[in-house]
Amino acid sequence: MSQKRKILLFLVAISSVSLFLHHGGHLNWTMETSPMVCPSTSPTPTPKHTSIAFLKTHKTASSTVQNILFRFAERNNLTVALPGYPCDHQFCYPHTFNNRFVHPHTVPPKIITSHMRFNRAELLRLMPNDTIYITILREPASMFESLFSYYNQYCLSFKRVPNGSLETFLENPWSYYRPEEKYAVYARNTLTYDLGGDKDQTDPMYIRNFVAEVDRVFSLVMIAEYFDESLILLRHLLGWELEDVLYVKLNMRTSTSKLSLSSGLPAKIRAWNSVDAALYDHFNASLWRKLEDLGVGCVAREVQLLQRATDRLLRGCFGSNFPQLRSASQIKNKNLRPWQPSSKVAIVGYELPSNISRGSRGQSQDMCLKLIMPEVQYTHLLQHSESLRYRRKHPTRTPMQTLRPAISTLHQQGRKDHKETLERSITSPPLGAEIGGTRGTQQVSKKQTT
Ligand SMILES: *[C@@H]1O[C@H](CO)[C@@H](O)[C@H](O)[C@H]1NC(C)=O
Ligand SMILES: *[C@@H]1O[C@H](CO)[C@@H](O)[C@H](O)[C@H]1NC(C)=O
Ligand SMILES: *[C@@H]1O[C@H](CO)[C@@H](O)[C@H](O)[C@H]1NC(C)=O
Ligand SMILES: *[C@@H]1O[C@H](CO)[C@@H](O)[C@H](O)[C@H]1NC(C)=O
Ligand SMILES: *[C@@H]1O[C@H](CO)[C@@H](O)[C@H](O)[C@H]1NC(C)=O
Ligand SMILES: *[C@@H]1O[C@H](CO)[C@@H](O)[C@H](O)[C@H]1NC(C)=O
């Protein structure tokens, strides 16, 4: 060991001891959970910011951010704008967002976070004027690989590729890709399309202007590869506590449904998705500038605290038997089964330990369940609870007037991809009844069947 290092260790030891003495020997856990590790940017304590538009992009860990926002909204009684008739659990994606897509019982909203194709003008009319715009991007090569696997059976541009080979597609994308075809939005510059841009316009001038426009509108563009760091920036931007951004990863694939990328493919993917690649490079760079402004060291410390707090939360919820990652068919609780895009791709979810109600540290069962609840089920749950709240506030409207949009939405969805879940929520006590706190949902369900 070098002399310098010895001296350094000695100094560290001395200062630790003095810190310990200074705190009268009470240096303990609670010190570590001190919420503000990076200095707050505002000199005076400000209330938590609650007007948020999160553009949920595809295949970017955005389901996890949505789950954080849903839980925050519920804890703080904030109205979340949700899709209504004729959309499903997304705002009629891939159509461009329109305020007509919003369920009438979910306005005026504070938060909006379901999938949409971004439309700034409509959101300006819908959302409070102090709304902060946030989104998330992912590295283009792994993103495209993910899209290619996930939408392989939906997107014809992918489906017509022989042997489902990503290499074959990239050798000559134009022999498989038809820009106007349904679901072609998943086959090229998908992030750009989600952000309201033109996926097939790859002129450098257009790209530059588009990136600048996104930069103007969005206060924070998170990066999936640096998810925890992005969350720390998010919580500082919104003045939230660390506890507000605890999460469990949702909507993941099993490792066997991931393709590995041979050398040369990432470059081809970037060339084919050149607008997305430009967006990514720009916002990855700006993320790191923001992290440096906040302090890379203190961010790392906060990330560590976040991970420890998550561990504690999971232990509190599930004891030592953490929810197990399972394939959908193995998950007994239908409310926790994630949606499966095709038989070839397995999206894993969590199975709840059967004795969750006796959470060892008294975490509420409701909160624990929602931490691992997939997007579609959570959306339906909020559609129910916000409709109930709306009808309590507007008791003079006749039930049929207020109920009809919800019913149509449910039937619509039922026909589409979540028949099973919905049939269950319509014919048997819905989720709300199981997890408590939303008495009355059962009556709604009965009405829906008549
Ligand atoms: C140490 O922890 C206990 C409970 O865990 C807490 O009551 C006490 O205030 C803590 N002491 C200090 C100095 O933080
Ligand atoms: C949310 O609303 C419920 C019922 O109206 C109320 O009991 C609770 O205190 C509210 N919580 C917050 C954080 O406003
Ligand atoms: C935001 O809206 C409120 C009321 O709707 C208004 O009083 C306020 O001036 C607006 N603020 C800005 C910055 O436009
Ligand atoms: C598809 O796979 C089969 C069997 O693995 C192989 O014989 C065939 O050449 C492949 N086709 C293409 C176009 O790669
Ligand atoms: C993101 O930016 C950082 C800092 O410039 C760089 O080190 C890192 O390699 C970039 N990440 C990716 C995936 O490009
Ligand atoms: C739940 O049950 C398992 C065994 O079935 C047990 O090991 C575990 O400690 C229990 N957890 C709680 C929180 O009671």
Side-chain angles (χ1 to χ4, degrees), residues 157-287:
S157 308
F158 293 156
K159 203 173 177 177
R160 52 172 83 85
V161 182
N163 291 353
S165 157
L166 180 56
E167 282 85 350
T168 309
F169 177 84
L170 288 167
E171 265 159 35
N172 191 2
W174 284 107
S175 46
Y176 313 104
Y177 175 68
R178 314 270 185 280
E180 305 307 329
E181 214 166 58
K182 199 172 184 196
Y183 300 126
V185 300
Y186 298 127
R188 193 185 193 197
N189 289 314
T190 302
L191 292 173
T192 300
Y193 184 85
D194 287 354
L195 283 159
D198 183 343
K199 66 187 167 50
D200 297 300
Q201 166 77 267
T202 55
D203 160 71
M205 184 68 166
Y206 173 77
I207 296 182
R208 228 185 354 264
N209 289 338
F210 184 65
V211 170
E213 168 71 13
V214 173
D215 204 344
R216 238 187 334 272
V217 171
F218 289 86
S219 303
L220 176 64
V221 176
M222 301 169 66
I223 296 288
E225 282 70 31
Y226 311 103
F227 189 72
D228 286 352
E229 290 80 1
S230 297
L231 277 182
I232 303 302
L233 289 179
L234 179 72
R235 93 164 189 87
H236 279 275
L237 175 67
L238 301 175
W240 288 11
E241 303 291 334
L242 208 54
E243 282 65 31
D244 292 320
V245 296
L246 301 185
Y247 72 94
V248 175
K249 277 210 168 73
L250 295 172
N251 203 25
M252 292 176 295
R253 275 178 299 166
T254 52
S255 49
T256 49
S257 33
K258 289 181 191 163
L259 307 172
S260 61
L261 295 181
S262 57
S263 70
L265 278 201
K268 284 184 185 163
I269 291 175
R270 286 179 61 96
W272 173 243
N273 297 278
S274 58
V275 197
D276 279 12
L279 280 170
Y280 184 82
D281 291 347
H282 177 89
F283 288 105
N284 180 41
S286 77
L287 181 93

